[in-house]
Amino acid sequence: MIGYILKRLGLALLVALAVSAITFFLLRLSGDVALAIAGEGAQKEDLDLIRKTYGLDRPLVVQYVDWLWQTLQGDFGTSLYFKTDVSRLVLDKLPTTIILGFTALGFALLIAIPLGVLAAVYANSWIDRLALAIAVVGQALPNFFFALILVMVFSITLRWLPVSGSGTWLHFIMPTIALGYYVAPAFMRLIRAGMIEVLSADYIRTARAKGLPTHKVIFKHALRNAVVPVVALTAVQLGFLLGGSVVIETIFALDGLGYLAYQSITYKDFPVMQVIVLLLSILYVLLTLASDIANAWLDPRIRVA
Amino acid sequence: MTDTILSVPTVAEATPGMRLARRFLGQKAFVIGAGILTVIIGLALLAPLIAPHDPYAQNLALRNIPPVWYAKGSWLHPLGTDQLGRDYLSRVLYGARISLLIGVSVVLISGIIGTTLGLMAGYFGGKIDLLVTFLVTTRLSMPVILVALAVVAMVGGSLWIVILVLGLLKWDRFAVVMRSATQQVRSLDYVAAAEAAGASTTRIILREVLPNIAPHLIVVATLEAASAILLEAALSFLGLGVQPPLPSWGLMISEAKAYMFFSFWLIAIPGTALALLIFAINLAGDGLRDVISPEGRV
Amino acid sequence: MSETILDVDGLSVDIATPRGALHAVRDISFSVKRGETLCLVGESGCGKSMTSLAIMDLLPKAATRTARRLTFADEDLGKASRKRVNALRGDRMAMIFQEPMTALNPAYTIGNQLVEAYRQHRNASEAEAREQAVHLLDKVGIASAAQRLGQYPHQLSGGLRQRVMIAMALMCGPDLLIADEPTTALDVTIQAQILRLLADLQRELGIAMVLITHDLGIVARIADRVAVMYAGQIVEEGPTASLFANPRHPYTQGLIDCIPVPGRTVPGGRLGTIPGVVPSLVGEIRGCSFRDRCSHARDICAATVPLKETADGHQWRCILENAV
């Protein structure tokens, strides 16, 4: 197990390296940093001066190695737009996005688990069809459109929630729902399919033969086994949520990493973009690793080998 | 006499194609999804013929006219006009063309990349497999929307840039599915037989492997097309995708955002169109999957 | 308190299929006294398992149970609430299944699964329940029982798992134990051990047992009474000695001929076989269901078959006099 984890961490490192290189070259080849610093319409002499000062006239590979070396030493550079430390900036915004990620995930599971279980237990009943309808709509509805519908209903019509901004927990409600509903269908389908399979297992009959009450049969014996693949999906979906947070945080002007990413992109703030993409990649790889470990831990056949 | 004898087996036996068709038609979800999709494709193709107005023609005197079901609506502009006085129905119809074009082109690009990589990994195994797996992991770890936004912001947004960027980013699922499917087909007896008979690698891949996995490919392509359409809409919504005045549904929603308090229908109409298209593709895709691979490999 | 623990009268199980209702069990009646072992024998698909699942109310969703009378310890199971059935199951009546490999939940330790029923029905503490579990694991012949509690099913062999299943069924000291082909999935050497264990425990604890099997060799050794099932019906039932010495139904005779007897069966010689296949269980069967495969069949066998009985409680359904 330890060997496996070390191997995966090594892979994570390689992936992070590859991602950093890809983003660096992709961004540098598609945009001009000097122009971003000087602003549109700058004179050629000024641009040349900037290139010289910042070392942008060196070959890209050299610049990349230089950047990598500084990053490894913990120096993530300075934001071109916000004029502050990138690490400071990112660390300030990260908690908001992490909170949003987990509340959205919680919301998704909160609707997906009960509906998925009920849909499986009462397969082909009206509740199964209702769950299916909720899932199908959730998959088809673009999340930004759904977010705007929420704003229309809860902020403009009912005036219950603030339209945008951050600061209070009220600001998190609509982003949580918009982002959570976006990932809930996948969970719901997986739980329903898993439960249907598990409910016909022999050990469920054994549990019923023991005279256990229905809720114990379903939640202790069935759900425990049906939930294993859900853990693997959770990591993938958290990655999805991090990506989705760019759109949702921007709509609600929620001051997290996603909104920062959007701002840095519109202001062509290279150092910030680079670090955010790298950070999200590392988070994703670590999440999949965590889910693999959780998966192994959940399955005694792997854990107790 | 001969006629009656000959006609008996044709009545009793259905061709494989007919049986497959029957299985498809038995899938209510597939029929509904494919039906809606066909209508949308038809409307998109016929847009120049059926659109009541030029989708780009502005008329500042006729701005924000509500759709016909509102009291102030008129049949002249059944879905109203936007903030620049452009006919909304015409824009929505032309918007379907953009979404469909995005879906098809992105899937073509990403499908070719992903299929090639997955085929190679699954067929050759070993180091090539390791390399492709690493590429897939790396690609999966990069959030598509973020990278796409960044590149479009740098290079400048246009329909073709968006297609190219999404096509170059969204090949992962093709690669994963093709890899495992190829591995499975490879282990089948007749492929080993073809190999033993001295058939060339290219020939085996093209003649034996590809036709076997084509059905799975179609399912992935359907679902990926839906995802690409949603991504384009999101990019355009954030102002970093297709540029005005093109009638992309995502862009239309973005442009209408400022008017949402008074004219929510400006958002609701392209939003619903988008949701309906995705709904139809997903439904058809799920139906396809149930018919093609009931074991749920995709 | 009556002598009879389980009384089944006119039990039928119908399974809905696309081709129509499949009558898996057709109007069967039998009873089991306290401390008695009844063996239900027959080929696969004859309705043995469905009968046991029907008694335990564990039938799959598509199956429905009907009975004129179905009582357990004088309590009408047909009218019992879901809650009442749950209170009886695992406490007064317990069941052992065919597949020990899949009948245990892979996600929980055997200790966890053993104590469940005891805690549920006895309101016992975890410690008391574990004590009982150790006691029973010991009883079913599992060494170092206390350590076994922390193990997962995948760490045990098939034979051990079936012992665990038996211990699990006996946790609350049931009055009735239903064992549905408990040894079919096991190695031949293990089969004998498990059966001996079951027979010993049954005698020692004085439990009534319904043992379902297709192996008549086992039946001869441990059953008090035998019921032979064919195509969803009980075609013959009686005290073991009487039934083996004097089978009245041609099907029973056929089954007995299939048992190899040491000393009498010529090595390499042919055992008896019953030609033909079981009739479809969809729809009604008129007359004797066995007549298509019976070497004694006459035209008269298509008529309604009467139930015949001798003084010692030996019953059979064959219209012919002395067919065997």
Side-chain angles (χ1 to χ4, degrees), chain B residues 176-188:
Chain B
V176 170
V177 171
M178 284 307 282
R179 176 174 166 270
S180 64
T182 311
Q183 279 171 344
Q184 266 174 31
V185 173
R186 237 218 112 155
S187 61
L188 294 177

Side-chain angles (χ1 to χ4, degrees), chain B residues 201-219:
Chain B
T201 308
T202 330
R203 199 187 144 82
I204 293 175
I205 290 179
L206 289 181
R207 299 286 300 270
E208 314 289 344
V209 180
L210 212 49
N212 267 289
I213 26 197
H216 304 286
L217 216 60
I218 295 172
V219 177

Side-chain angles (χ1 to χ4, degrees), chain C residues 246-269:
Chain C
N246 202 1
R248 302 300 187 114
H249 196 283
Y251 180 64
T252 313
Q253 180 65 52
L255 286 180
I256 293 174
D257 288 343
C258 295
I259 315 173
V261 184
R264 257 204 290 157
T265 310
V266 188

Side-chain angles (χ1 to χ4, degrees), chain B residues 66-183:
Chain B
V68 63
W69 55 85
Y70 286 84
K72 287 185 196 159
S74 91
W75 278 107
L76 195 60
H77 299 284
L79 292 184
T81 60
D82 69 3
Q83 57 285 345
L84 296 175
R86 294 173 293 197
D87 179 58
Y88 225 43
L89 175 61
S90 308
R91 287 185 71 75
V92 169
L93 285 173
Y94 275 87
R97 302 184 127 202
I98 293 182
S99 283
L100 290 170
L101 181 67
I102 292 270
V104 172
S105 332
V106 168
V107 160
L108 270 179
I109 300 174
S110 60
I112 290 171
I113 300 174
T115 310
T116 313
L117 286 174
L119 262 174
M120 279 170 28
Y123 194 84
F124 296 110
K127 287 211 174 97
I128 295 181
D129 187 25
L130 272 179
L131 178 70
V132 170
T133 312
F134 179 73
L135 284 177
V136 171
T137 314
T138 307
R139 180 15 235 114
L140 280 174
S141 78
M142 300 168 66
V144 176
I145 186 132
L146 203 54
V147 177
L149 277 174
V151 174
V152 173
M154 293 300 145
V155 190
S158 81
L159 186 58
W160 295 108
I161 290 290
V162 171
I163 288 174
L164 198 66
V165 168
L166 291 182
L168 290 175
L169 279 170
K170 286 193 62 60
W171 46 266
D172 50 283
R173 184 119 62 129
F174 283 102
V176 170
V177 171
M178 284 307 282
R179 176 174 166 270
S180 64
T182 311
Q183 279 171 344

Side-chain angles (χ1 to χ4, degrees), chain A residues 120-123 198-199 201-217 219-225 297-305, chain C residues 53 56-59 61 82 85-87 89-91 93-95 97-99 102-108 112-114 116-117 120-121 152 154-155 165 168 180:
Chain A
V121 173
Y122 302 104
V198 168
L199 280 174
D202 283 356
Y203 54 78
I204 294 303
R205 197 174 54 189
T206 309
R208 290 177 61 206
K210 282 183 201 169
L212 299 180
T214 311
H215 65 88
K216 221 164 182 178
V217 173
F219 290 102
K220 180 180 172 185
H221 284 275
L223 189 58
R224 172 65 174 69
N225 285 288
W297 183 79
L298 276 174
D299 189 345
R301 278 163 292 196
I302 303 176
R303 184 181 8 137
V304 191
Chain C
L53 292 176
M56 292 290 287
D57 199 9
L58 290 174
L59 286 169
K61 265 186 193 161
R82 182 156 204 98
V85 170
N86 267 341
R89 279 199 300 220
D91 186 15
M93 50 203 274
M95 187 161 176
F97 299 95
Q98 214 176 95
E99 283 285 343
T102 52
L104 290 164
N105 192 328
Y108 295 101
N112 184 323
Q113 298 182 61
L114 274 165
E116 261 183 329
Q120 176 74 30
H121 298 296
Y152 286 90
H154 74 273
Q155 295 169 294
M165 283 299 295
M168 205 179 276
D180 183 4

